[in-house]
């Protein structure tokens, strides 16, 4: 059984200082085991200015097992799959501890964006580029941030309006956006 | 040419900046001390890369193909498979051995080594002179804490030592204050504290909350209680090590060449991480409970008479009281021992 009261306390805590921490979490609906995290790209990195959506699934034995986290926003980084957003980070695996929280995990992801570990890669192609052609890595990562991580910084209502203006019914638009973690492009594909 | 060298230098500087920034962030990120972190989300990039529209188009093309595959890929994440496999192994292990086993005569230990080395057989004979029984624990990396949990509470249950309970409750309060002082948030440890104090108060008989010996054994075998108490001990151990970082640092550096902070994060706080001298000293000191560890291994001290070594961990606060918690250590594993 998921420790619901612990999760609720975490949500309250993370909400309290989301403006200064740069990380936040929203509920997906009624299911408290499925959450959406947001982290802002760290300054002085190719991710600066971007807002990154993280899908968070809590296993039933949370906090004894790590939360499952995955980038929904596409990101060019040696430790994050450019294909599916899977993350290579020790605290999300065997180094997880119940002493950690969803907030510390998101902050660690933010730190990972600042400090890639190309020798322990999730995405071999990105890691190779990072090691062999660093300037190209930086500009690619920056393009990806510009292309994917800035659009999703539009408010959800603005996205809804945009898609409704394209002629889709509002209820369907909202459902589509929700299942796509707020990504309007994915939502559009779903609607078409 | 010059420009490219300058460019490279700039990139190097950038990388250096990343690293420094990360160090700062990591130290804030764990534990929860990150409240002062700058809000970087509002700072949008204004310097636009004006060149290479083609590259952007390329990115978009990649993005579209990626987009299509994102949702399908959800179900086959590699980590999931690994965690599932680990859980399967844990479940298999669990069927063979509960967290805390039944009390067995020490002859059970001898039986285990029937075809073992003569040194071990000899040592077990020596053990049999002093110890009557053994209680095995599951080898899941938490065995030291699990031994401590059961041996300590069983001792309190048998002695009905109310002074000890009061003393321990004080220590628990001290530990909570230490944790808060270190920046841990109360909700991350309060449930684990309660799991322990419930058991501690329960083993004292004559109240509504009292529990029997069988109940204590049941609860020690129940994951949602046992693991919570183990986690409480991990918090206590970690807090003690951090509080007395100057004392523990040389041991930790000698052992694994990592910082105290990193050691606690990677070798104390995660479930399943095995315990060694550093953890034993810290737990024993923090809770004021003396622990004896008896070592059974293949070592011998030459031709002189064979002996079984033990070490008493006596917390500074309790003077020279003799241990009520005794464990048998075989390389990589702890079980509970019962003196005659």
């Amino acid at each position: 059984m998921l420790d619901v009261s612990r999760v609720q306390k975490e949500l309250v805590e993370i909400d309290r200082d989301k403006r200064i921490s740069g990380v936040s979490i929203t509920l997906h609906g009624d299911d408290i085991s499925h959450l959406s995290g947001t982290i802002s790209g760290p300054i002085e990195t190719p991710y600066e200015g971007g807002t990154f959506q993280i899908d968070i699934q809590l296993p039933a034995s949370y906090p004894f097992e790590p939360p499952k986290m995955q980038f929904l926003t596409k990101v060019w980084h040696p430790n994050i799959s450019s294909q599916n957003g899977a993350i290579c980070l020790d605290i999300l695996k065997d180094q997880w501890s119940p002493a950690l929280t969803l907030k510390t995990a998101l902050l660690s992801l933010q730190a990972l964006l600042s400090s890639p570990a190309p020798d322990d890669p999730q995405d071999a192609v990105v890691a190779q580029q990072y090691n062999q052609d660093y300037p190209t890595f930086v500009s690619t990562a920056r393009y990806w941030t510009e292309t994917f991580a800035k659009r999703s910084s539009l408010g959800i209502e603005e996205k809804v309006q945009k898609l409704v203006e394209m002629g889709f019914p509002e209820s369907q638009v909202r459902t589509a956006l929700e299942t796509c973690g707020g990504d309007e492009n994915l939502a559009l594909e779903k609607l078409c | 040419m010059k420009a490219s060298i300058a460019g490279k230098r700039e990139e190097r500087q950038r990388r250096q900046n990343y690293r420094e920034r990360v160090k700062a962030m990591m130290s804030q990120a764990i534990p929860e001390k990150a409240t002062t972190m700058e809000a970087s989300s509002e700072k949008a990039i204004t310097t636009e890369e004006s060149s290479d529209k083609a590259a952007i188009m390329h990115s978009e093309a990649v993005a579209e193909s990626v987009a299509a595959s994102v949702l399908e890929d959800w179900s086959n994440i590699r980590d999931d498979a690994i965690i599932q496999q680990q859980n399967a192994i844990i479940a298999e292990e669990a069927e063979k051995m509960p967290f805390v086993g039944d009390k067995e005569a020490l002859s059970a230990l001898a039986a285990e080594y029937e075809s073992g080395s003569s040194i071990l057989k000899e040592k077990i004979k020596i053990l049999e002179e002093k110890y009557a029984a053994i209680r095995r624990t599951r080898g899941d990396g938490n065995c030291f804490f699990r031994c401590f949990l059961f041996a300590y509470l069983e001792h309190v249950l048998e002695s009905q030592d109310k002074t000890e309970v009061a003393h321990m409750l004080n220590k628990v309060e001290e530990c909570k204050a230490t944790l808060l002082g270190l920046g841990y948030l109360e909700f991350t440890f309060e449930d684990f504290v309660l799991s322990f104090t419930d058991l501690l108060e329960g083993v004292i008989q004559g109240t509504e909350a009292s529990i029997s010996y069988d109940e204590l054994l049941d609860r020690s075998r129940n994951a949602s209680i046992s693991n919570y108490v183990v986690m409480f001990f991990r918090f206590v151990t970690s807090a003690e090590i951090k509080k007395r970082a100057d004392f523990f640092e040389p041991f930790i550096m000698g052992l694994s060449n990592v910082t105290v902070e990193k050691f606690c994060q990677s070798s104390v706080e995660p479930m399943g991480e095995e315990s060694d001298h550093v953890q034993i000293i810290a737990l024993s000191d923090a809770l004021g409970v003396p622990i004896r560890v008896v070592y059974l291994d293949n070592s011998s001290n030459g031709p002189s008479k064979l002996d079984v070594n033990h070490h008493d961990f006596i917390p500074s606060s309790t003077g020279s009281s003799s241990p009520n918690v005794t464990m048998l250590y075989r390389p990589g594993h702890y079980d509970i021992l019962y003196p005659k």
Side-chain angles (χ1 to χ4, degrees), chain B residues 4-20:
Chain B
S4 98
I5 290 172
K8 271 187 183 154
R9 195 181 301 138
E10 197 182 303
E11 287 303 347
R12 244 201 316 273
Q13 185 57 42
R14 255 179 188 280
R15 282 202 231 186
Q16 186 61 30
N17 287 349
Y18 295 171
R19 289 205 190 95
E20 276 164 16

Side-chain angles (χ1 to χ4, degrees), chain A residues 3 32 38 51 60 79 83 101 111 118 127 136 142 167-168 174 187:
Chain A
D3 188 342
I32 201 164
T38 308
T51 302
N79 306 104
Q83 298 292 310
T101 62
T136 307
R142 210 171 273 151
F168 300 107
R174 287 187 188 278

Side-chain angles (χ1 to χ4, degrees), chain A residues 148-181:
Chain A
F148 308 119
K150 291 205 166 162
R151 237 179 257 171
S152 55
S153 61
L154 272 182
I156 194 85
E157 287 310 317
E158 287 164 281
K159 290 180 201 165
V160 170
Q161 202 187 339
K162 227 172 135 184
L163 290 168
V164 169
E165 278 168 9
M166 289 180 195
F168 300 107
E170 185 176 332
S171 61
Q172 279 181 33
V173 166
R174 287 187 188 278
T175 320
L177 276 169
E178 200 170 301
T179 49
C180 298

Side-chain angles (χ1 to χ4, degrees), chain A residues 57 68 70 84, chain B residues 69-81 84:
Chain A
Q57 309 226 30
K68 289 174 196 159
Q70 190 161 10
N84 64 10
Chain B
S69 64
V70 165
L71 292 172
E72 286 130 42
D73 279 345
W74 265 110
S75 53
N76 50 25
I77 308 162
R78 232 183 58 215
D79 290 349
D80 274 10
Q84 256 173 29

Side-chain angles (χ1 to χ4, degrees), chain A residues 3 5-6 9-10 13 16-17 19-22 40-51 55-57 62-66 68-72 74 82-84 86-88 90-104 107-108 110-116 122 130-131 134-135 137-140 142-148 150-151 179-180 186 189-190, chain B residues 7-8 11-12 14-15 17-19 21-23 25-26 28-53 55-56 58-60 62-71 73-74 76-80 82-84 86-87 184-185 187-192 223-224 227-229 231 235 262 265-271 273:
Chain A
D3 188 342
S5 83
R6 151 110 183 204
K9 285 172 200 161
E10 288 204 34
E13 206 278 326
R16 222 182 44 212
D17 65 347
R19 293 205 66 80
I20 42 174
S21 68
S40 52
I43 56 165
E44 286 180 37
T45 72
Y47 312 103
E48 180 170 347
T51 302
D55 187 84
I56 305 171
Q57 309 226 30
Y62 181 84
F64 278 90
E65 260 182 48
K68 289 174 196 159
M69 292 193 173
Q70 190 161 10
F71 275 82
L72 282 174
K74 285 161 279 297
S82 60
Q83 298 292 310
N84 64 10
I87 304 160
C88 177
D90 57 358
I91 65 148
L92 293 179
K93 295 172 189 170
D94 56 332
Q95 291 286 283
W96 170 258
S97 159
L100 300 170
T101 62
L102 296 173
K103 181 178 163 190
T104 47
L107 288 171
S108 298
Q110 214 179 26
L112 184 69
L113 288 182
S114 297
S115 158
Q122 173 78 36
Y130 183 96
N131 283 329
Y134 186 68
F137 161 77
V138 170
S139 50
T140 314
R142 210 171 273 151
Y143 281 133
W144 278 49
T145 304
E146 293 294 324
T147 313
F148 308 119
K150 291 205 166 162
R151 237 179 257 171
T179 49
C180 298
L186 285 181
E189 258 176 50
K190 259 198 161 6
Chain B
K8 271 187 183 154
E11 287 303 347
R12 244 201 316 273
R14 255 179 188 280
R15 282 202 231 186
N17 287 349
Y18 295 171
R19 289 205 190 95
R21 194 170 158 72
V22 159
K23 271 188 205 154
M25 287 177 92
M26 285 306 267
Q28 287 185 317
I30 301 159
E32 294 267 342
K33 278 182 173 169
T35 47
T36 55
M37 200 168 290
E38 296 163 56
S40 48
S41 58
E42 271 82 33
K43 270 198 83 182
I45 286 183
T46 47
T47 55
E48 193 50 61
E49 312 275 329
S50 56
S51 64
D52 258 1
K53 276 234 161 79
I56 297 180
H58 168 73
S59 287
E60 281 175 345
V62 172
E64 263 163 31
S65 73
V66 167
S69 64
V70 165
L71 292 172
D73 279 345
W74 265 110
N76 50 25
I77 308 162
R78 232 183 58 215
D79 290 349
D80 274 10
I82 294 169
I83 289 174
Q84 256 173 29
Q86 279 170 344
N87 286 345
Y184 290 87
L185 294 170
F187 71 75
T188 60
F189 59 81
E190 61 188 356
D191 293 345
F192 306 131
S224 64
N227 284 343
Y228 272 55
V229 178
M231 200 49 221
F235 267 106
K262 179 74 189 157
Q265 189 205 323
S266 61
S267 300
V268 183
E269 291 177 5
M271 289 293 283
E273 286 293 330

Side-chain angles (χ1 to χ4, degrees), chain B residues 214-319:
Chain B
D214 286 343
E215 183 67 30
L216 174 62
L217 191 58
D218 276 354
R219 293 194 188 182
S220 303
R221 288 172 174 175
N222 176 340
S224 64
I225 296 172
S226 204
N227 284 343
Y228 272 55
V229 178
V230 167
M231 200 49 221
F232 167 65
F233 293 148
R234 288 187 177 277
F235 267 106
V236 168
T237 305
S238 186
E240 182 73 13
I241 293 172
K242 287 183 185 173
K243 189 173 82 175
R244 290 162 58 210
D246 288 348
F247 171 77
F248 284 107
E249 192 173 25
F251 295 99
I252 290 169
M253 293 297 282
L255 212 67
S256 49
N257 198 25
V258 295
T259 61
V260 168
E261 188 72 33
K262 179 74 189 157
F263 178 81
C264 289
Q265 189 205 323
S266 61
S267 300
V268 183
E269 291 177 5
M271 289 293 283
E273 286 293 330
E274 290 178 12
S275 298
D276 214 322
H277 273 218
V278 170
Q279 287 92 331
I280 303 175
I281 293 168
L283 184 70
S284 163
D285 280 356
L287 297 180
V289 178
I291 300 170
R292 169 169 294 180
V293 178
V294 179
Y295 298 91
L296 177 61
D297 54 32
N298 242 327
S299 67
S300 69
N301 40 2
S304 61
K305 192 178 174 296
L306 209 57
D307 202 4
V308 180
N309 301 321
H310 71 259
H311 184 82
D312 288 347
F313 296 84
I314 308 288
S316 39
S317 58
T318 57

Side-chain angles (χ1 to χ4, degrees), chain B residues 68-216:
Chain B
S69 64
V70 165
L71 292 172
E72 286 130 42
D73 279 345
W74 265 110
S75 53
N76 50 25
I77 308 162
R78 232 183 58 215
D79 290 349
D80 274 10
I82 294 169
I83 289 174
Q84 256 173 29
Q85 193 183 17
Q86 279 170 344
N87 286 345
I89 295 169
I90 290 167
E92 201 178 302
E93 184 69 18
E95 271 182 28
K96 285 186 228 152
M97 178 72 216
F99 288 139
V100 177
D102 290 323
K103 199 168 173 176
E104 298 171 81
L106 208 63
S107 53
L109 190 61
E112 203 179 310
Y113 287 96
E114 252 169 12
S115 55
S117 81
S118 57
I119 294 175
L120 282 172
K121 283 192 211 165
E122 201 59 38
K123 283 189 175 181
I124 290 168
K125 272 187 198 152
I126 300 168
L127 276 179
E128 281 176 330
E129 289 166 19
K130 289 182 192 159
Y131 298 97
I134 183 174
R135 186 190 295 274
R136 295 171 212 264
T137 58
R138 189 186 297 173
D140 62 357
N142 300 310
C143 53
F144 165 72
F145 293 111
R146 206 90 66 183
C147 281
F148 183 84
L149 152 72
F150 193 82
Y152 174 75
L153 290 170
E154 187 182 33
H155 164 70
V156 176
L157 178 73
E158 281 170 1
S159 65
Q160 291 296 302
D161 185 346
K162 289 181 183 163
T163 325
E164 172 59 33
V165 172
H167 172 76
M168 177 58 81
L169 289 173
N170 264 333
K171 287 285 182 188
V172 171
E173 286 308 311
E174 279 175 30
C175 290
K176 280 162 75 175
T178 307
L179 283 164
L180 290 173
L182 287 166
Y184 290 87
L185 294 170
E186 189 160 14
F187 71 75
T188 60
F189 59 81
E190 61 188 356
D191 293 345
F192 306 131
V193 175
L194 270 180
S195 296
F196 176 64
T197 53
D198 280 356
L199 284 182
L200 180 65
E201 288 165 333
V203 291
I204 293 297
Q205 302 303 297
T207 73
E208 260 180 40
S210 291
I211 57 170
S212 65
Y213 168 85
D214 286 343
E215 183 67 30
L216 174 62

